[in-house]
Amino acid sequence: MLRKRLFNLSLILVTGLLLSQTPMSQKPNIIIILADDMGFSDLGSFGSEINTPNLDAMAKGGLKMTNFYNTSRCCPTRASLLTGVYPQQAGVGHMVNEREHPSYRGMLSEECVTIAEVLQENGYSTFMTGKWHLNARPEQWPVKRGFDRYFGLLDGANSYFENRPYRPNQKLTYALDNKEYTPGKGFYATDAYTDYAIQFIEENRAKDKPFFLYLAYTAPHWPLHALPEDIARYKGKYLKGWDKLRTERFKRMQALGVISKKEQLSPRDEEVPAWESLTEEEKLRWDDKMAVYAAMVDRMDQNIGKLRAKLKEMGADKNTIIMFLSDNGGSYENINEPGFTQEIREANKKLASDPTSFTAYEFEGANLSNTPFRKFKRWEHEGGISTPFIAYYPGVVKAGKVNHQPAHVIDLMTTSLDLAGANYPGTYRGNRIKPMEGTSLVPLLKGQKWAGHKEIFFEHEGNRAVRQGDWKIVSVFPENTWALYNLTNDRSELHDLSSQHPEKVKELSQLYDAWAKHANVVPFVQLLEMDKQKKQKP
């Protein structure tokens, strides 16, 4: 009997010792994957004809959120994602244009912390690959904001094949950790970001530490560059035209439960001609361009599959949560806008499938990407701020869950810290840190009731919006007139109810004014005046 008791006691002591030595390895690995300029309907699981089997498998085996929001533009979304506060509070209220105002410094404020900085302090290895676009000053590089390892593009856009500036006198920088990097022969950005992510994860195997990976693809942001074997799968598939494709996507989205059966498809954007009005040559050029765009999304999905395969090979797939989203809606931008070099303008005349081309998706392609919504990147209508969101975490997130509650990119900081059991700091490196604005998605991930947000706020370049439950007000700069929509059955924002419910407009506009003061938002007119005065200074 005594021998048995001693054996049991020894077993308890050994078990306790083992548990005390491995607490960090029990914490989940956290991966956030961000696409660039990808629209709401560009994944198969959200209605697209593009082949995205890996992301679709994650959606089927995890959680799909249909009312998830970004901030409608690349820099602000990245700032909010990493810090858990609104872009103005993070110092990136506009882009990386540097201004003498705390909300528009064009770089992350010292009064906020990144997910990487907090998790690094809590025993995590922290990695980033891909697009930074939060200022390319050396003191602002990712390795200075909490990332142990980094590989990627510090700027907003670049050739996927080579380092080539698209504006006069502009330097575009790829970096590996804290040194500049020159892409070599055979370089393709989407593949390179994944390869380095896998390398960093493999290097971490020798450490008894969980990891945080922020994988920020540049795909499918312009320039439209894809590999020949990927393009070949889509050539000819877009000759049916964007009008028919929008209708087909819309029907699939309803069948998938992404949008309501009562929802309406928004009319073709006024900037987009009817497909049948195009010449045969124009149709062939657009088929080529849309095939390249699809190939970029396809290649990104292939790389996500490659990353998942590596996690499975390492035995880390069951203890890793992957969250996927896009930084804004489909982009209307084109290469004929001011600021591009003559070399780039000439490259824009080539077919997108030519690797020496430099083209964009423009209004025509973006209108398809954002099915069924109105507007695009930069606006605060649903087409600008809506992103597909997928969370995959085996054993925690129940397979096949679809949630329609509004959520926002500010929630990812709160969620990550909740998953890691990490505390958000009140101070960091001697600076007082602004409180988080987001709400943890962990209850929702676990299938529990989630309180969500009372309101979510938006502002970019004078375009504004407030979402409260099913109600939303939105305005366009410079008119600044509030329109009111009930998103229950009108997420396409086709029926303005402002004249029928003036009291609701007043209520929500007052909430916006209070938030704008809280977040230190500068009216865009004043921001433009600041820029004008800066240019006039000797």
Side-chain angles (χ1 to χ4, degrees):
M1 181 67 74
L2 179 60
R3 183 179 297 173
K4 185 176 181 180
R5 285 178 179 175
L6 288 172
F7 174 80
N8 289 338
L9 180 60
S10 299
L11 184 62
I12 291 170
L13 289 171
V14 170
T15 303
L17 181 61
L18 288 172
L19 289 173
S20 68
Q21 289 176 338
T22 59
M24 291 308 300
S25 63
Q26 296 170 0
K27 292 187 176 185
N29 303 310
I30 301 169
I31 299 177
I32 297 176
I33 302 175
L34 186 69
D36 195 354
D37 279 10
M38 194 191 78
F40 184 69
S41 69
D42 279 334
L43 300 181
S45 51
F46 279 76
S48 181
E49 71 291 333
I50 300 173
N51 189 39
T52 55
N54 295 291
L55 283 164
D56 296 347
M58 285 167 52
K60 186 176 181 180
L63 169 69
K64 184 164 68 173
M65 297 188 73
T66 65
N67 280 253
F68 203 98
Y69 291 114
N70 47 51
T71 72
S72 85
R73 197 75 177 270
C74 40
C75 303
T77 288
R78 290 159 208 278
S80 281
L81 183 156
L82 285 173
T83 64
V85 297
Y86 283 102
Q88 293 84 358
Q89 295 170 304
V92 191
H94 185 219
M95 299 290 282
V96 291
N97 314 53
E98 296 183 19
R99 301 178 175 95
E100 294 180 4
H101 189 285
S103 299
Y104 301 89
R105 296 175 65 241
M107 62 191 80
L108 292 178
S109 169
E110 296 300 323
E111 295 182 353
C112 62
V113 287
T114 68
I115 298 173
E117 286 171 329
V118 181
L119 293 185
Q120 193 179 58
E121 294 279 313
N122 283 268
Y124 272 71
S125 296
T126 55
F127 311 127
M128 179 184 172
T129 62
K131 174 174 167 177
W132 176 240
H133 209 193
L134 288 170
N135 204 292
R137 286 174 174 262
E139 64 270 22
Q140 296 295 327
W141 287 19
V143 289
K144 300 296 178 63
R145 294 305 310 230
F147 289 99
D148 297 323
R149 300 296 313 273
Y150 171 69
F151 171 77
L153 177 67
L154 294 168
D155 311 282
N158 201 353
S159 168
Y160 286 69
F161 300 116
E162 61 187 67
N163 196 359
R164 180 168 56 158
Y166 58 84
R167 298 191 193 279
N169 305 316
Q170 182 184 46
K171 180 181 179 182
L172 298 177
T173 306
Y174 279 103
L176 177 58
D177 297 326
N178 59 356
K179 294 182 180 179
E180 293 187 17
Y181 174 94
T182 302
K185 188 176 180 180
F187 178 86
Y188 184 68
T190 305
D191 292 347
Y193 298 151
T194 310
D195 291 344
Y196 271 99
I198 289 172
Q199 177 185 320
F200 296 161
I201 291 171
E202 286 185 318
E203 289 172 354
N204 191 60
R205 295 176 78 169
K207 305 173 185 177
D208 186 28
K209 296 174 73 172
F211 66 83
F212 166 62
L213 169 65
Y214 171 41
L215 174 48
Y217 288 111
T218 45
H221 191 291
W222 56 259
L224 301 185
H225 283 165
L227 299 173
E229 61 268 32
D230 296 326
I231 299 171
R233 287 196 291 274
Y234 294 96
K235 287 296 286 287
K237 291 189 175 182
Y238 289 91
L239 285 172
K240 63 176 66 177
W242 42 67
D243 293 320
K244 185 174 284 188
L245 286 161
R246 287 185 81 230
T247 299
E248 290 177 356
R249 284 196 184 189
F250 178 69
K251 290 178 179 178
R252 283 194 295 266
M253 295 172 86
Q254 288 184 316
L256 290 165
V258 173
I259 55 174
S260 166
K261 294 279 188 182
K262 298 178 182 178
E263 187 60 75
Q264 293 177 274
L265 175 63
S266 65
R268 182 195 324 113
D269 189 81
E270 59 188 14
E271 297 286 344
V272 181
W275 178 259
E276 291 307 320
S277 71
L278 303 184
T279 66
E280 289 306 307
E281 182 183 356
E282 288 172 330
K283 288 179 180 178
L284 287 170
R285 288 186 70 86
W286 269 106
D287 172 68
D288 181 84
K289 181 177 285 195
M290 297 170 87
V292 173
Y293 180 93
M296 295 171 77
V297 176
D298 186 317
R299 174 62 63 156
M300 177 178 66
D301 182 82
Q302 291 177 51
N303 273 276
I304 291 169
K306 184 178 177 181
L307 175 63
R308 290 188 61 204
K310 174 56 65 173
L311 292 172
K312 187 172 183 180
E313 176 194 309
M314 294 169 55
D317 55 319
K318 297 290 194 298
N319 193 39
T320 300
I321 179 170
I322 304 176
M323 294 176 278
F324 174 90
L325 70 159
S326 179
D327 66 344
N328 45 249
S331 172
Y332 67 95
E333 295 163 321
N334 69 77
I335 309 304
N336 292 317
E337 293 177 350
F340 290 99
T341 64
Q342 185 59 37
E343 176 195 7
I344 294 302
R345 290 177 180 277
E346 290 301 316
N348 184 40
K349 297 176 184 178
K350 301 177 181 180
L351 287 174
S353 55
D354 183 334
T356 64
S357 69
F358 203 101
T359 61
Y361 212 33
E362 305 183 56
F363 282 106
E364 290 87 342
N367 199 203
L368 171 61
S369 289
N370 292 339
T371 303
F373 303 138
R374 294 171 55 208
K375 299 294 186 183
F376 312 93
K377 168 184 180 178
R378 195 173 71 84
W379 283 276
E380 307 308 321
H381 287 71
E382 295 294 288
I385 59 178
S386 298
T387 172
F389 180 86
I390 296 168
Y392 180 77
Y393 191 4
V396 176
V397 177
K398 198 176 243 185
K401 298 291 287 183
V402 180
N403 183 276
H404 303 292
Q405 290 177 268
H408 191 273
V409 67
I410 54 175
D411 298 333
L412 297 187
M413 163 71 91
T414 326
T415 302
S416 297
L417 301 197
D418 196 355
L419 288 164
N423 294 320
Y424 185 78
T427 59
Y428 183 76
R429 293 180 181 171
N431 297 300
R432 188 178 180 85
I433 302 302
K434 295 175 182 178
M436 290 184 291
E437 297 280 346
T439 302
S440 174
L441 299 171
V442 169
L444 198 155
L445 299 176
K446 293 181 176 179
Q448 301 167 357
K449 187 175 180 181
W450 185 59
H453 295 265
K454 289 184 178 179
E455 292 89 25
I456 301 174
F457 301 92
F458 306 87
E459 190 279 335
H460 183 70
E461 293 190 344
N463 302 311
R464 308 168 300 167
V466 180
R467 169 112 192 226
Q468 181 194 66
D470 292 326
W471 290 105
K472 179 184 175 185
I473 56 170
V474 61
S475 70
V476 174
F477 180 84
E479 290 84 3
N480 298 330
T481 302
W482 290 114
L484 175 70
Y485 300 100
N486 189 306
L487 302 190
T488 308
N489 299 312
D490 187 26
R491 274 196 76 193
S492 296
E493 298 167 312
L494 302 178
H495 308 290
D496 181 6
L497 304 176
S498 57
S499 61
Q500 298 175 41
H501 300 281
E503 72 290 344
K504 196 66 184 176
V505 175
K506 182 179 179 181
E507 175 195 347
L508 295 182
S509 64
Q510 288 177 341
L511 287 172
Y512 175 85
D513 291 341
W515 169 79
K517 184 177 180 181
H518 166 70
N520 203 12
V521 175
V522 173
F524 195 52
V525 173
Q526 294 181 27
L527 206 62
L528 293 174
E529 184 60 32
M530 287 168 56
D531 291 345
K532 183 179 177 181
Q533 291 177 3
K534 184 178 179 180
K535 287 181 180 179
Q536 291 173 347
K537 285 184 179 180

